[in-house]
Amino acid sequence: MPSRNAAAVTEVEEPQTMPGLQFDEPLSWRAGKSIPVADLLKRLNALSKEMQDMEQDENERDSFTKVAKELVSPNLLGHKDKGVKALTASCLVDILRLCAPDAPYTGQQLRDIFNIIIGQILPALADPSNAYNNQHLYVLNSLAQVKSIVLLADIPSADALIKNVFSICFDVISGSSKTSPGEDMQKNVEINMTQLLVCLVDESQTLPPEVVDIIVAQFLRTDPKALGGAGGKNKKHEVVDEKQSTLVLRQLPPAYNMAKYICNACPEKMARYFSQYFNDIIVDASSSSAQKQPSKTKKRHSDGPEDSDDEHGSGPTEDDLKELRKVHGLLRELWRACPAVLQNVIPQLEAELSAENVQLRLLATETLGDIISGMGAAGLPAPPILDPAAYPSNALSNLLENTVSLNLLTKPSSPQPFPSAHPQAYSNYLGRRHDKSTLIRAAWTTGIGRILTTSAGGAGLNQQDEDRLISDLSRMMGDADEKVRIAAVKVVASFSFRDIVSKLGRLGGIMDAGSLLATLADRVRDRKHPVREEAMTVLARIWGVAVGEISAENEQVIALLGGIPSKILDTYYTNDIEIMVLLDRVFFEQLLPLSYPPIKTKSNKLTNGNSQAAKGSQGAADKIEGNVDPDKIRTERILLLNRDLDERARKVFYAIQSRQLMLAKVMSTYLARCEDYNVSKSLVRRNPSNADKLKGGVMDENESQIKDHLTRLIKTFASLLPNSQQATSDLWKFAKMHDRRSYQLIRFCMAPESDYRTVFKAIKEFTKRIIDASSSTSASNSLLDTLTTLIYRVSLIIYNKSHVPAIMEYSRTDEKTLAATAHEILREISSKTPEVLKAHVQEICRVLQDEAPSAKKPNDASAVNDLKACASFASKYPKEIPRDRKFLEAMSSFALHGSPPEASKYAVSVILAATERKEILVKDLAQKCIQGFEYGEEGFLSRLATLSQLMLLAPREIDEQSSDQILDIAIKQILMQVREPSNKPADAYEWSSTIDPEVLAKCWALKLLVNRIRSHPDAETLPDVAAPVYQLLSTFLEKQGEVSKAKDTPPAHKSRLRLLAARQYLKLCTQKSHDALLTPYAFNALPLVAQDSEKPVREGFLQRLKKYLNHQKLPQRFYTIPLLAAFEPSEALKTDVTTWIKSRAAAFASAKSTGASTRANTVMESVFARLLSVLSHHPDYASEPEDLIDFSRYIIFYLQNVATADNLSLIYHIAQRVKQCRDAVLSTPAPNAPPTETDERLYHLSDLAQVTIRKYEDMHNWTIQTLPGKIRLPTSLFSEIQSHSEAQWIAEHYYLPEGVEAGVENVLKITMKTARLAQHGKKRKSEGGDVDNRESKKSKGLPVRKATKPKQKKTTPKKVQTPKTKKVKEPEDQGSGERRRSGRVKEVEKIYAERDSEEDDEEMEFLDSGRLETEKEAEVEMNGSDADRNEEEDVQGDVEQEEEEAEVAGVAEPEEPTPKMTPRSRNKSAIIPKAKPKASPRTKPKGTRSKAVAV
């Protein structure tokens, strides 16, 4: 016991032996006896040093009592000297440290201590150059390390002090970042202050709301809009904080980092504070808005009726919205910095997604989207620029994504994946795509685009989530509102090229239905022009950036993006003027930018090209930067674009170039008239300088003619632009400007002599001059837009002479597999603008001379393209072709041994155009081809081609004996021989994609016979010469290509020969004299070719027919043939024909509305009589009810494509007139002869047409008007009924059997329903229906017409059937043309007058595109007269690839052969339950005989 007590005593006494404070000098004084400052500083310094060396719990606490009391005396705390205050504070923090945890001070004394520390010491840290900075740092370090700052929480009512601590610390740290002498000191201050504040937050029970405001405000330092007010009340610090006033920061602001550290160090507390903070703001905004009157409520945006959910003025005011936007912007930055503090805020944000108010939902949608994408308050970095004119283009192998942004504020950053952290909020966010508000759907679309581009702020998305977002983006491109669709398209534009390929392309490419890229391509046909413009521009830019990878043969990029040009050019078929203008802009600014490639070249003076080198402006002298040739680079891009185009788009590509030639001629005339309009010759003679000064229509003579011509030219151009009225005003304004330099610049652009650089600089200077000249007027933009569109259309940009050398090089080397495309473009250049080849024709001829073939040495395959180019050039510029002996011998070698045979044909054209010894050379060539001709020998096909061309171009030079020998070769040795008999049935008929020498020889032989007729010089003997050939062609048509008596011609040969015969008929009928020889009966065999069982035959024939009709080379009766496509089984071909018919009808209607070409105004209406005539002789015709109902589909097809409310009366009257005539196709009927079977067919069809038209009228709510007088029908098809009583009897009889009217109505309803469904689908697609990957339901359309077996017809004539009374609903006078007698019936002003067949080939005054109508003079300047065109065709020897090569080599392969359907096949079960057999498609009508005899 004693010992234990002794030990206890020892333990108690042990602290008494601890050392204490040795300082014993006084620090306080009485009033009037103050301690000198120097002494005081010395004493305080000594005290401070002594206490700094002491440790806690190792010194006697009582030894500090005196010093502690003196240090808090007012004399020291309120001393004026800063050093005294600094040392006093240093000593005080040591006292607090050594006496911890119990401070030897009262609450008031602690308040005084912290007042001096917070008010004096901490702010002084902002100035590191202060003499007592070490003491200041010591105080801060002690408070932070010892955590003495927690004593603030024990002071009553210390909220103000705590607020000041946070405010001063953030102000100091934000200001010291610039003035700190070293990084270490700055970091030390930042670290200690951060620990100080963390300690204060952690130990405080609650924080004042002002403190939360201060912490939150630090996150605004990354917002460029809020930088000026983020630093607190100290304006000086705000001014000097230059680092935070710039957007390009290399590191985050220290104050931002400090606030971020505080939030992450105390996530639970800060989450609670932030939740309350945001909740208060949202509640305040809501309660404030609820108290406002409806009239005071303001909306940020207006979205029409969809935004009307701000009911009763309950929406937030503009001030509330401003505050809410600021708060929601803070949420973006808080998620990037400290997502844990938002664990209670995200549910609040999620609740806003379901708010009634649109603006709140919009803010929540935008904020959540930005949070998920890791976007901060500063926004996202600028999206990558898809520059289509950049060179070199982006390559995926070299395209390194910049993962480290130079600007940390805009770099997307998400510390954790939002979908995983807040799955419910993410799911609700995705559901906003169904929001009823357009604004929110558009914002949501933009948000998911950012999520995809940033990969959820760098946190990454799993495959499923990413695919879903891409699918959702695709759906939003089909949204019902155009704003959402535009937003979706703009989202795609924000992706980098790599992301487009790797992300957007993962679900499919541009040609894969349902993929995002395919949906984007569909938007180029959107119903709204802004959507079309945005989509087409984005697509073109994507392709422009991808062209580098396409050139490098990157299969992935080609599969994904290679079809973009096809999709863009395919919009040409919409016939929409706005789309046409947009297409021009995109074509020359995005797909093929004028500035591409942006390589600086040596400047040359802008001239007309005469002073330039032969190889173009950017030739050898301009090859810079490693021998880079800009012209070759540009040419490669043109070839790449053309190579990947589909057939339809390629036609558009060449149509654009053809349009350039036509419009350039009109523009030349326009410029000439502008000069005439502004020049007074008398004033110019007095002073030549007046020519440039006269403006505003100063003319001496012919003023009215000049103005009238200029008006018509301006009207022509204005009709090609969307706003024709504005375009007219702009063109008149340009004419009155009288800028002669601009005239010359436009001529530079159109001149074939101008190289590309000249054209580009001319366009650039012209644009600048227009801007400068019109800068003072409000119409400057309109004027520039109008003229820019026109100058794009008239400039020689693609077929420029600078591109020819590169095209020729690619055609020979096949570099990057561009040879075929280069050959094709070279052919087009040679046929359309041979002037461009002037500088290069000698080179082409030299190459041909070197490649001349022989019996043992074949020519290069590419020679045929060079020969065609040379032949086209020689037809216009024969003097430019070499005439030396070696070259002519080389051409002769091509004529005898060229391969393929087309090479021989073109070689003959070159020889005849270049030589002056035509007779000698022709005889020599003919003899070499005839002598020893044997089928199968070397060069026999070349000889046939040569003979065919000689027959066309030089018939007079071939003597009679040679001509007979040639005919003997063509007929006996070729056409009438079957060298490989078929073992298939005689009626076998098929198509083959391959072509053997035998059928190829027969094709050339048949063309030889036709060429002999085409070039026959004597019109009197022409019928006798042509008759056998016409009979042969008719035999090919009627007998399905079979001419052999043994009927053993191979089936694949028959289809090609039938197609060729039909095409040759078309070619013959382009000349009026030859068309007159084609009888109506023989003509009726041509429409059946359009219903051939093989699609390539139908397609090839219709393509040639449409081409000739477009060029106005065929008479009106040929418009009947496309109208028989009602039963076309190929949907694509039927759509193509339908589009063409509607385009022609629109062109004629436009010509009628403008008053031009009055004789051609009713072409499509008058052809209806011819259609009924053709149908009456159709081999499938029968008068049974089901057959007549079936034939009504032809009439419905015609009405759907031609009939309008304006012309339906005329069509109906024509149908009535047919019943007042007799058939004259087979022979002219006797005056009193009874009606024949063909007459009754006409009457059946007339009644059928009238019934169908009346039903069609009722369904469209149209009115048939009365036409005065009678309509003349073609006398070659119809003859008038001479007997009045017979005519009256026929008119009163109703020829349709019972049940036909009901069947026609049923067919018409089904057809109209199908058409409406198809149109509705197109409208939804163009307007953007919700594009889901769902299988489209096939509408129940009409069945296809099938051929049936021949049926036995009765030998007795058929009696005319009269209908029952109950079926005759409208027994009016059939000849009166009046069905309704009401006030709506009006007389039509114009009387239709049908012309006979001999007049049907009169020129129709409209252009090929059907959209450009102009006066006759301008049209002749653009197209030339018919005689000129025919002469040019003869001179060129029909040098057209699609006419010759397609005839010989064939057209595209047919579609899937099973099941095989003919365009006249059908299934009648949908209309009539039981179908009777009827005539075969190849069975002639009863009572007719074949007029074709063996040749």
Side-chain angles (χ1 to χ4, degrees), residues 656-712:
I656 292 175
Q657 316 314 319
S658 300
R659 181 189 62 185
Q660 183 273 330
L661 299 175
M662 296 185 295
L663 293 183
K665 295 177 182 179
V666 181
M667 178 61 75
S668 298
T669 307
Y670 170 70
L671 296 179
R673 293 297 171 268
C674 286
E675 292 176 330
D676 296 340
Y677 179 73
N678 291 286
V679 175
S680 174
K681 295 181 179 178
S682 59
L683 294 177
V684 172
R685 279 195 299 268
R686 292 189 217 131
N687 186 1
S689 63
N690 289 332
D692 294 326
K693 298 178 182 178
L694 294 175
K695 298 182 181 181
V698 180
M699 293 160 281
D700 285 339
E701 56 187 13
N702 300 326
E703 180 176 352
S704 60
Q705 292 88 339
I706 293 174
K707 286 185 176 180
D708 182 62
H709 194 188
L710 191 57
T711 300
R712 296 196 303 271

Coordinates of all heavy atoms in Angstrom, one line a residue, residues 656-712:
I656 N -26.5 17.8 -115.7 CA -26.0 19.1 -115.2 C -25.0 19.7 -116.2 O -25.0 20.9 -116.4 CB -25.4 18.9 -113.8 CG1 -26.5 18.6 -112.7 CG2 -24.6 20.2 -113.4 CD1 -25.9 18.3 -111.4
Q657 N -24.2 18.8 -116.7 CA -23.2 19.3 -117.7 C -23.9 19.7 -119.0 O -23.5 20.7 -119.6 CB -22.1 18.3 -118.0 CG -21.6 17.6 -116.7 CD -21.2 18.5 -115.6 OE1 -20.7 19.6 -115.8 NE2 -21.6 18.1 -114.4
S658 N -24.9 18.9 -119.4 CA -25.6 19.3 -120.6 C -26.4 20.6 -120.4 O -26.5 21.4 -121.4 CB -26.6 18.2 -121.0 OG -25.9 16.9 -121.2
R659 N -26.9 20.8 -119.3 CA -27.7 22.0 -119.0 C -26.7 23.2 -119.1 O -27.1 24.3 -119.5 CB -28.3 21.9 -117.6 CG -29.1 23.1 -117.2 CD -29.4 23.1 -115.7 NE -28.3 23.0 -114.8 CZ -28.3 22.9 -113.5 NH1 -29.5 22.7 -112.9 NH2 -27.2 22.8 -112.8
Q660 N -25.5 23.0 -118.7 CA -24.5 24.1 -118.8 C -24.4 24.6 -120.2 O -24.3 25.8 -120.5 CB -23.2 23.6 -118.2 CG -22.1 24.7 -118.2 CD -21.3 24.9 -119.5 OE1 -21.2 23.9 -120.2 NE2 -20.8 26.1 -119.8
L661 N -24.4 23.7 -121.1 CA -24.2 24.1 -122.5 C -25.4 24.9 -123.0 O -25.2 25.9 -123.7 CB -24.0 22.8 -123.4 CG -22.8 21.9 -123.1 CD1 -22.9 20.6 -123.9 CD2 -21.5 22.7 -123.3
M662 N -26.6 24.4 -122.6 CA -27.8 25.1 -123.1 C -27.9 26.5 -122.5 O -28.1 27.5 -123.1 CB -29.0 24.3 -122.7 CG -29.1 23.0 -123.5 SD -30.7 22.1 -123.1 CE -30.5 21.8 -121.4
L663 N -27.7 26.6 -121.1 CA -27.8 27.9 -120.4 C -26.7 28.8 -120.8 O -26.9 30.0 -120.7 CB -27.9 27.6 -118.9 CG -29.1 26.9 -118.4 CD1 -29.1 26.8 -116.9 CD2 -30.4 27.6 -118.9
A664 N -25.5 28.3 -121.1 CA -24.4 29.2 -121.5 C -24.8 30.0 -122.8 O -24.5 31.2 -122.9 CB -23.2 28.4 -121.8
K665 N -25.5 29.3 -123.7 CA -26.0 30.0 -124.9 C -27.0 31.1 -124.6 O -27.0 32.2 -125.1 CB -26.5 29.0 -125.9 CG -25.5 28.0 -126.4 CD -26.1 27.0 -127.4 CE -25.0 26.0 -127.8 NZ -25.6 25.0 -128.7
V666 N -27.9 30.8 -123.7 CA -28.9 31.8 -123.3 C -28.2 32.9 -122.6 O -28.6 34.1 -122.8 CB -30.0 31.1 -122.4 CG1 -31.0 32.1 -122.0 CG2 -30.6 30.0 -123.1
M667 N -27.2 32.6 -121.7 CA -26.5 33.6 -121.0 C -25.8 34.5 -122.0 O -25.7 35.8 -121.8 CB -25.6 33.0 -120.0 CG -24.7 34.0 -119.2 SD -25.7 35.2 -118.2 CE -26.2 34.1 -116.9
S668 N -25.2 34.0 -123.0 CA -24.5 34.8 -124.0 C -25.4 35.8 -124.6 O -25.1 36.9 -124.8 CB -23.8 33.9 -125.0 OG -22.8 33.0 -124.4
T669 N -26.6 35.3 -125.0 CA -27.6 36.2 -125.6 C -28.0 37.2 -124.6 O -28.2 38.4 -124.9 CB -28.8 35.3 -126.0 OG1 -28.4 34.3 -126.9 CG2 -29.8 36.2 -126.8
Y670 N -28.2 36.8 -123.3 CA -28.6 37.8 -122.3 C -27.6 38.9 -122.1 O -27.9 40.1 -122.0 CB -28.8 37.0 -121.0 CG -29.0 37.9 -119.8 CD1 -30.2 38.7 -119.6 CD2 -28.0 38.0 -118.8 CE1 -30.3 39.5 -118.5 CE2 -28.2 38.8 -117.7 CZ -29.3 39.5 -117.5 OH -29.5 40.3 -116.4
L671 N -26.3 38.5 -122.1 CA -25.2 39.5 -121.9 C -25.2 40.5 -123.1 O -25.0 41.7 -123.0 CB -23.9 38.8 -121.8 CG -23.7 38.0 -120.5 CD1 -22.4 37.3 -120.5 CD2 -23.9 38.8 -119.2
A672 N -25.4 39.9 -124.3 CA -25.4 40.8 -125.5 C -26.6 41.7 -125.5 O -26.4 42.9 -125.8 CB -25.5 39.9 -126.8
R673 N -27.7 41.3 -125.0 CA -28.9 42.2 -124.9 C -28.6 43.2 -123.8 O -29.1 44.3 -123.9 CB -30.1 41.4 -124.7 CG -30.5 40.5 -125.8 CD -30.9 41.4 -127.1 NE -31.1 40.5 -128.2 CZ -30.1 40.2 -129.1 NH1 -28.9 40.7 -128.9 NH2 -30.4 39.5 -130.1
C674 N -28.0 42.8 -122.7 CA -27.6 43.8 -121.7 C -26.8 44.9 -122.2 O -27.0 46.1 -121.9 CB -26.9 43.1 -120.5 SG -28.0 42.1 -119.5
E675 N -25.8 44.6 -123.1 CA -25.0 45.6 -123.7 C -25.8 46.5 -124.6 O -25.6 47.7 -124.7 CB -23.8 44.9 -124.4 CG -22.8 44.3 -123.5 CD -21.8 43.5 -124.2 OE1 -22.0 43.0 -125.3 OE2 -20.6 43.4 -123.7
D676 N -26.7 45.9 -125.4 CA -27.5 46.7 -126.3 C -28.5 47.6 -125.5 O -28.8 48.7 -125.9 CB -28.4 45.7 -127.2 CG -27.5 44.9 -128.2 OD1 -26.3 45.3 -128.4 OD2 -28.0 43.9 -128.6
Y677 N -28.9 47.1 -124.4 CA -29.9 47.8 -123.6 C -29.3 49.0 -122.9 O -30.0 50.0 -122.6 CB -30.4 46.8 -122.5 CG -31.4 47.4 -121.5 CD1 -32.7 47.7 -121.9 CD2 -31.0 47.7 -120.2 CE1 -33.6 48.3 -121.0 CE2 -31.9 48.3 -119.3 CZ -33.2 48.5 -119.7 OH -34.1 49.1 -118.9
N678 N -28.0 49.1 -122.8 CA -27.3 50.2 -122.1 C -26.4 51.0 -122.9 O -25.7 51.9 -122.4 CB -26.5 49.6 -120.9 CG -27.4 49.0 -119.8 OD1 -28.0 49.7 -119.1 ND2 -27.4 47.7 -119.8
V679 N -26.4 50.8 -124.2 CA -25.4 51.5 -125.0 C -26.1 52.4 -126.1 O -26.9 51.8 -126.8 CB -24.4 50.6 -125.7 CG1 -23.5 51.3 -126.6 CG2 -23.6 49.9 -124.6
S680 N -25.8 53.6 -126.1 CA -26.3 54.5 -127.1 C -25.2 54.8 -128.1 O -24.1 55.3 -127.8 CB -26.8 55.9 -126.5 OG -27.1 56.8 -127.6
K681 N -25.4 54.3 -129.3 CA -24.3 54.3 -130.3 C -23.8 55.8 -130.6 O -22.7 56.1 -130.8 CB -24.7 53.6 -131.6 CG -24.9 52.1 -131.4 CD -25.3 51.4 -132.7 CE -25.5 50.0 -132.4 NZ -25.9 49.2 -133.7
S682 N -24.8 56.7 -130.6 CA -24.5 58.1 -131.0 C -23.6 58.7 -129.9 O -22.6 59.3 -130.2 CB -25.7 58.9 -131.1 OG -26.5 58.8 -129.9
L683 N -23.9 58.4 -128.6 CA -23.1 58.9 -127.5 C -21.7 58.3 -127.5 O -20.7 58.9 -127.2 CB -23.8 58.7 -126.2 CG -25.1 59.5 -126.0 CD1 -25.8 59.2 -124.7 CD2 -24.8 61.0 -126.1
V684 N -21.7 57.0 -127.8 CA -20.4 56.3 -127.8 C -19.5 56.8 -128.9 O -18.3 56.9 -128.8 CB -20.6 54.8 -127.9 CG1 -19.3 54.1 -128.1 CG2 -21.4 54.3 -126.7
R685 N -20.1 57.1 -130.1 CA -19.3 57.7 -131.2 C -18.7 59.0 -130.8 O -17.5 59.3 -131.1 CB -20.1 57.8 -132.4 CG -20.3 56.5 -133.2 CD -20.9 56.8 -134.6 NE -22.1 57.4 -134.6 CZ -23.3 56.8 -134.6 NH1 -23.3 55.5 -134.6 NH2 -24.4 57.4 -134.6
R686 N -19.4 59.8 -130.0 CA -18.9 61.1 -129.6 C -17.8 60.9 -128.6 O -16.8 61.6 -128.6 CB -20.0 61.9 -129.0 CG -21.0 62.4 -130.0 CD -22.0 63.4 -129.4 NE -23.3 63.2 -129.8 CZ -24.4 63.1 -129.1 NH1 -24.3 63.2 -127.8 NH2 -25.6 62.9 -129.6
N687 N -18.0 60.0 -127.7 CA -17.0 59.7 -126.6 C -17.0 58.3 -126.2 O -18.0 57.8 -125.6 CB -17.3 60.6 -125.4 CG -16.2 60.5 -124.3 OD1 -15.2 59.8 -124.5 ND2 -16.3 61.2 -123.2
P688 N -16.0 57.5 -126.7 CA -16.1 56.0 -126.4 C -16.1 55.7 -124.9 O -16.6 54.7 -124.5 CB -14.7 55.5 -127.0 CG -14.4 56.5 -128.0 CD -14.9 57.9 -127.5
S689 N -15.7 56.6 -124.0 CA -15.8 56.4 -122.6 C -17.2 56.3 -122.1 O -17.5 55.8 -121.0 CB -15.0 57.4 -121.8 OG -15.5 58.7 -122.0
N690 N -18.1 56.8 -122.9 CA -19.5 56.8 -122.4 C -20.1 55.4 -122.3 O -21.1 55.1 -121.7 CB -20.4 57.6 -123.4 CG -20.2 59.1 -123.2 OD1 -19.8 59.6 -122.2 ND2 -20.4 59.9 -124.3
A691 N -19.4 54.4 -123.0 CA -19.9 53.1 -123.1 C -20.0 52.5 -121.7 O -20.8 51.7 -121.4 CB -19.1 52.2 -124.0
D692 N -19.1 52.9 -120.8 CA -19.0 52.4 -119.5 C -19.9 53.2 -118.5 O -20.1 52.8 -117.4 CB -17.6 52.3 -119.0 CG -16.8 51.3 -119.8 OD1 -17.4 50.3 -120.2 OD2 -15.6 51.5 -120.0
K693 N -20.3 54.4 -118.9 CA -21.0 55.2 -118.0 C -22.5 55.1 -118.2 O -23.3 55.4 -117.3 CB -20.6 56.7 -118.2 CG -19.1 56.9 -117.9 CD -18.7 58.3 -118.2 CE -17.2 58.6 -118.0 NZ -16.8 59.9 -118.3
L694 N -23.0 54.7 -119.4 CA -24.4 54.7 -119.7 C -25.1 53.6 -118.9 O -24.6 52.5 -118.9 CB -24.6 54.6 -121.2 CG -24.2 55.7 -122.0 CD1 -24.4 55.4 -123.5 CD2 -25.0 57.0 -121.7
K695 N -26.1 53.9 -118.2 CA -26.9 52.9 -117.4 C -28.4 53.2 -117.5 O -28.7 54.4 -117.7 CB -26.4 52.9 -116.0 CG -25.0 52.5 -115.8 CD -24.6 52.4 -114.3 CE -23.1 52.0 -114.2 NZ -22.7 51.9 -112.8
G696 N -29.2 52.2 -117.4 CA -30.6 52.4 -117.2 C -31.4 52.4 -118.5 O -32.4 53.0 -118.6
G697 N -30.9 51.7 -119.6 CA -31.7 51.5 -120.8 C -31.6 52.7 -121.7 O -32.6 53.2 -122.2
V698 N -30.4 53.1 -122.1 CA -30.1 54.2 -123.1 C -29.9 53.5 -124.4 O -28.9 52.9 -124.6 CB -29.0 55.1 -122.6 CG1 -28.8 56.2 -123.6 CG2 -29.2 55.6 -121.3
M699 N -30.8 53.7 -125.4 CA -30.7 53.1 -126.7 C -31.1 54.0 -127.7 O -32.0 54.9 -127.5 CB -31.6 51.8 -126.8 CG -31.2 50.7 -125.8 SD -32.5 49.5 -125.5 CE -33.5 50.4 -124.3
D700 N -30.5 53.9 -128.9 CA -30.9 54.8 -130.0 C -32.0 54.2 -130.9 O -32.9 54.9 -131.3 CB -29.6 55.0 -130.9 CG -28.7 56.0 -130.3 OD1 -29.1 56.7 -129.4 OD2 -27.5 55.9 -130.6
E701 N -32.0 52.9 -131.1 CA -32.9 52.3 -132.0 C -33.3 50.9 -131.5 O -32.6 50.3 -130.7 CB -32.3 52.2 -133.4 CG -31.0 51.4 -133.5 CD -30.3 51.5 -134.8 OE1 -30.8 52.3 -135.7 OE2 -29.4 50.7 -135.0
N702 N -34.4 50.4 -132.1 CA -34.8 49.0 -131.7 C -35.1 48.9 -130.2 O -34.8 47.8 -129.6 CB -33.9 47.9 -132.2 CG -33.7 48.0 -133.7 OD1 -34.6 48.3 -134.4 ND2 -32.5 47.6 -134.2
E703 N -35.5 49.9 -129.6 CA -35.7 49.9 -128.1 C -36.7 48.9 -127.7 O -36.5 48.1 -126.8 CB -36.1 51.3 -127.6 CG -36.3 51.3 -126.1 CD -36.6 52.7 -125.6 OE1 -36.5 53.7 -126.4 OE2 -36.9 52.8 -124.4
S704 N -37.8 48.8 -128.4 CA -38.9 47.9 -128.0 C -38.5 46.5 -128.2 O -38.8 45.6 -127.4 CB -40.2 48.2 -128.8 OG -40.0 48.1 -130.2
Q705 N -37.8 46.2 -129.4 CA -37.3 44.8 -129.6 C -36.3 44.4 -128.6 O -36.4 43.2 -128.1 CB -36.7 44.7 -131.1 CG -37.8 44.9 -132.2 CD -37.9 46.4 -132.5 OE1 -37.6 47.3 -131.7 NE2 -38.5 46.6 -133.7
I706 N -35.4 45.3 -128.3 CA -34.4 44.9 -127.3 C -35.0 44.6 -125.9 O -34.7 43.6 -125.3 CB -33.3 46.0 -127.2 CG1 -32.5 46.1 -128.5 CG2 -32.3 45.7 -126.0 CD1 -31.5 47.2 -128.6
K707 N -35.9 45.5 -125.5 CA -36.5 45.3 -124.2 C -37.4 44.0 -124.2 O -37.4 43.3 -123.2 CB -37.4 46.5 -123.9 CG -36.6 47.7 -123.5 CD -37.5 48.8 -123.0 CE -36.8 50.1 -122.5 NZ -37.7 51.2 -122.1
D708 N -38.1 43.8 -125.3 CA -38.9 42.6 -125.3 C -38.0 41.3 -125.3 O -38.4 40.4 -124.6 CB -39.7 42.6 -126.6 CG -40.7 41.4 -126.7 OD1 -41.5 41.3 -125.8 OD2 -40.5 40.6 -127.7
H709 N -37.0 41.3 -126.1 CA -36.1 40.2 -126.1 C -35.4 40.0 -124.7 O -35.4 38.8 -124.2 CB -35.0 40.3 -127.1 CG -34.3 39.0 -127.4 ND1 -33.2 39.0 -128.2 CD2 -34.5 37.8 -127.0 CE1 -32.8 37.7 -128.3 NE2 -33.5 37.0 -127.6
L710 N -35.0 41.0 -124.1 CA -34.4 41.0 -122.8 C -35.4 40.5 -121.7 O -35.1 39.7 -120.8 CB -33.8 42.3 -122.4 CG -32.9 42.4 -121.1 CD1 -31.7 41.4 -121.3 CD2 -32.5 43.8 -120.9
T711 N -36.7 40.9 -121.9 CA -37.7 40.5 -121.0 C -37.9 39.0 -121.1 O -38.0 38.3 -120.1 CB -39.0 41.2 -121.3 OG1 -38.8 42.6 -121.1 CG2 -40.1 40.7 -120.3
R712 N -37.9 38.4 -122.3 CA -38.1 37.0 -122.5 C -36.9 36.2 -121.9 O -37.1 35.1 -121.3 CB -38.3 36.7 -123.9 CG -39.6 37.3 -124.5 CD -40.0 36.6 -125.8 NE -38.9 36.7 -126.8 CZ -38.8 37.7 -127.7 NH1 -39.6 38.7 -127.7 NH2 -37.8 37.7 -128.6

